[in-house]
Amino acid sequence: RGSDPERRSRRVRVGGMVDVLAATSADVHAVLSQRASGPLSGRREQVARTLREFVDANEGARASPNLRDERRDELGGITSLLTDADLPGDQDLALLALKTLKILSRKEDNRRRFGRELCRAVVRLALTHPRASHAVTAEGANVVLNACYEKENVEYVLECGGVEPLVRRVADTGETLRCRSAAAGAVQSVCFQAPGRCRVRDCDGVAALVALMKELDRASVPRDGVAGQFNDDERSMCRARVVGALHNVSADDDAIRLIRACDGVPHLVRALGSDDDGVCGSAAGATQNVSRERASRALFRRGGAVEALTKLLARGCDPATQARAAGALLNILGPDLDDGHSKSGEKARADEGDDASDRGSTGDSSKENDTKTNSRGSNEDAPTALSGSRSSGSGRVPAEGSERRALGRLLSSAMALTAVWDGLFETTPTFDPKVSA
């Protein structure tokens, strides 16, 4: 048994326990490296069986033995398989190969060693090949989602034309929700880099993301599965990825105008009230970015963003979300403080019609690559001091100008909090296996 490489025992240590049945990445590489006449020559079943064992043992990121194994994974074998000219004709094996690469791409070292050839192979096999199935396309998008945590891989995906097919999948209402969600997640990762944001913007990616967000809000997304069953977890993941992608792309000034033009502002306001901390955190970041534009600020004010943001602050979310919410409030309300309550209606309407971005407004530079969290926020009622009422809470009429001074102090604190947060956390996002593909 020990001398037969096809049947040798495979050991993976998981939390002190040893699973002698699970295939390791070393097993995968060994099988794929046996290429007398090519990686698939006469050994299709052996290759498929080994890949299936590896995928079954590592499909869930939280319990993946491979993710916890600190030994370096060899990528040569899987690269040879993915570049094999016969692979597109075997969609079942192609799916297993992409699942394997998705699992391997959860490790930073593996992502850094992807290279141009492997990125091109994934795009060609899963995103541009006419034979690619919905499942293969979704897994290819998941690979891109993970790989593009690294700046170099974003450049490779842009070079080989991978962004345009991703945007088409996001926009395609005939695709499965799983495929559109994976594509949105890949777009989210690509948009962390400025060249990626520009490419997504230029190929109508902003309109596609806003349209999908509207579909999710209307609950009219086509159902997955033969029986038409809808997976609420997948829908929540899709929403988190779409809002996260809008957060990232909204760092671009032209994308801000497109979000407004596509009527995305009301849907960002709605996302601020999400029970999912990941969604409302991304929505707060997008709101902070988009509200740098004067015309968008007017839409946010009319759409109830001030109330939603104050509730978000009172909810006690993580510091990043609170900093984004505070920065958004500073953008939406701060410019009005200079004129106090005496600003004329004509001047206010003129400002609302101006679609120029304010250079003094705060933007959220800590863009999101996390796709979803499982924590839930509380539903505490927010303070009503910013709702427009003149009550001080004690029954006494506040002194003239006191509300303005109090709001000024609040927004000054918000500005300080946002500045400190941006200064401390302007870094490349850390890959989180709990929320990525």
Side-chain angles (χ1 to χ4, degrees), residues 136-204:
V136 164
T137 297
E139 285 304 328
N142 282 330
V143 172
V144 174
L145 188 164
N146 288 353
C148 286
Y149 272 77
E150 311 305 324
K151 180 179 180 180
E152 294 78 9
N153 293 334
V154 174
E155 296 172 355
Y156 298 144
V157 169
L158 294 179
E159 285 178 12
C160 60
V163 172
E164 290 81 0
L166 286 170
V167 169
R168 287 198 297 271
R169 294 315 192 283
V170 172
D172 188 355
T173 57
E175 282 282 5
T176 63
L177 179 64
R178 182 179 294 109
C179 187
R180 298 177 78 186
S181 173
V187 169
Q188 179 183 0
S189 288
V190 167
C191 284
F192 189 80
Q193 304 299 332
R197 293 194 289 276
C198 292
R199 183 69 63 85
V200 168
R201 177 202 67 204
D202 292 343
C203 65
D204 296 327

Side-chain angles (χ1 to χ4, degrees), residues 81-84 87-91 94-95 97-98 120-133 136-137:
L81 176 59
L82 287 167
T83 55
D84 189 276
L87 187 60
D90 190 337
Q91 288 290 286
L95 181 61
L98 289 167
R120 182 183 296 113
V122 171
V123 170
R124 183 169 55 239
L125 174 65
L127 301 181
T128 62
H129 200 284
R131 292 186 180 181
S133 66
V136 164
T137 297

Side-chain angles (χ1 to χ4, degrees), residues 71-264:
R71 292 172 293 182
R72 169 171 279 206
D73 299 306
E74 294 294 337
L75 300 180
I78 193 66
T79 300
S80 296
L81 176 59
L82 287 167
T83 55
D84 189 276
D86 295 332
L87 187 60
D90 190 337
Q91 288 290 286
D92 291 337
L93 190 60
L95 181 61
L96 287 171
L98 289 167
K99 283 179 176 286
T100 298
L101 184 59
K102 175 188 71 176
I103 291 166
L104 295 174
S105 66
R106 292 168 182 161
K107 291 183 176 180
E108 180 180 357
D109 178 64
N110 291 340
R111 296 195 301 271
R112 290 185 179 278
R113 292 187 290 122
F114 254 53
R116 181 178 285 103
E117 181 184 18
L118 193 49
C119 288
R120 182 183 296 113
V122 171
V123 170
R124 183 169 55 239
L125 174 65
L127 301 181
T128 62
H129 200 284
R131 292 186 180 181
S133 66
H134 292 297
V136 164
T137 297
E139 285 304 328
N142 282 330
V143 172
V144 174
L145 188 164
N146 288 353
C148 286
Y149 272 77
E150 311 305 324
K151 180 179 180 180
E152 294 78 9
N153 293 334
V154 174
E155 296 172 355
Y156 298 144
V157 169
L158 294 179
E159 285 178 12
C160 60
V163 172
E164 290 81 0
L166 286 170
V167 169
R168 287 198 297 271
R169 294 315 192 283
V170 172
D172 188 355
T173 57
E175 282 282 5
T176 63
L177 179 64
R178 182 179 294 109
C179 187
R180 298 177 78 186
S181 173
V187 169
Q188 179 183 0
S189 288
V190 167
C191 284
F192 189 80
Q193 304 299 332
R197 293 194 289 276
C198 292
R199 183 69 63 85
V200 168
R201 177 202 67 204
D202 292 343
C203 65
D204 296 327
V206 174
L209 290 167
V210 173
L212 180 51
M213 183 166 62
K214 290 178 180 179
E215 290 182 44
L216 291 168
D217 284 347
R218 292 194 304 265
S220 61
V221 178
R223 304 296 176 100
D224 283 341
V226 177
Q229 296 298 317
F230 188 76
N231 189 321
D232 287 338
D233 288 340
E234 288 181 0
R235 182 182 173 192
S236 298
M237 178 70 80
C238 184
R239 184 187 299 277
R241 288 172 170 175
V242 170
V243 179
L246 287 170
H247 176 196
N248 286 359
V249 77
S250 64
D252 178 84
D253 286 345
D254 291 328
I256 289 175
R257 287 185 279 274
L258 290 172
I259 290 172
R260 171 175 54 80
C262 292
D263 197 30

Side-chain angles (χ1 to χ4, degrees), residues 14-63:
V14 186
M17 302 295 291
V18 176
D19 181 357
V20 298
L21 299 177
T24 67
S25 66
D27 295 319
V28 170
H29 180 70
V31 169
L32 294 178
S33 296
Q34 299 171 16
R35 45 182 307 177
S37 302
L40 298 181
S41 178
R43 298 180 298 104
R44 194 272 180 195
E45 293 306 317
Q46 178 189 4
V47 170
R49 182 169 58 252
T50 304
L51 293 182
R52 190 175 295 108
E53 289 180 5
F54 180 75
V55 169
D56 288 346
N58 295 277
E59 185 80 69
R62 295 183 182 184

Side-chain angles (χ1 to χ4, degrees), residues 330 337 405-418:
L330 180 66
L337 290 180
R405 289 193 296 272
L407 184 56
R409 287 194 295 270
L410 170 64
L411 294 181
S412 295
S413 299
M415 180 182 292
L417 176 61
T418 303

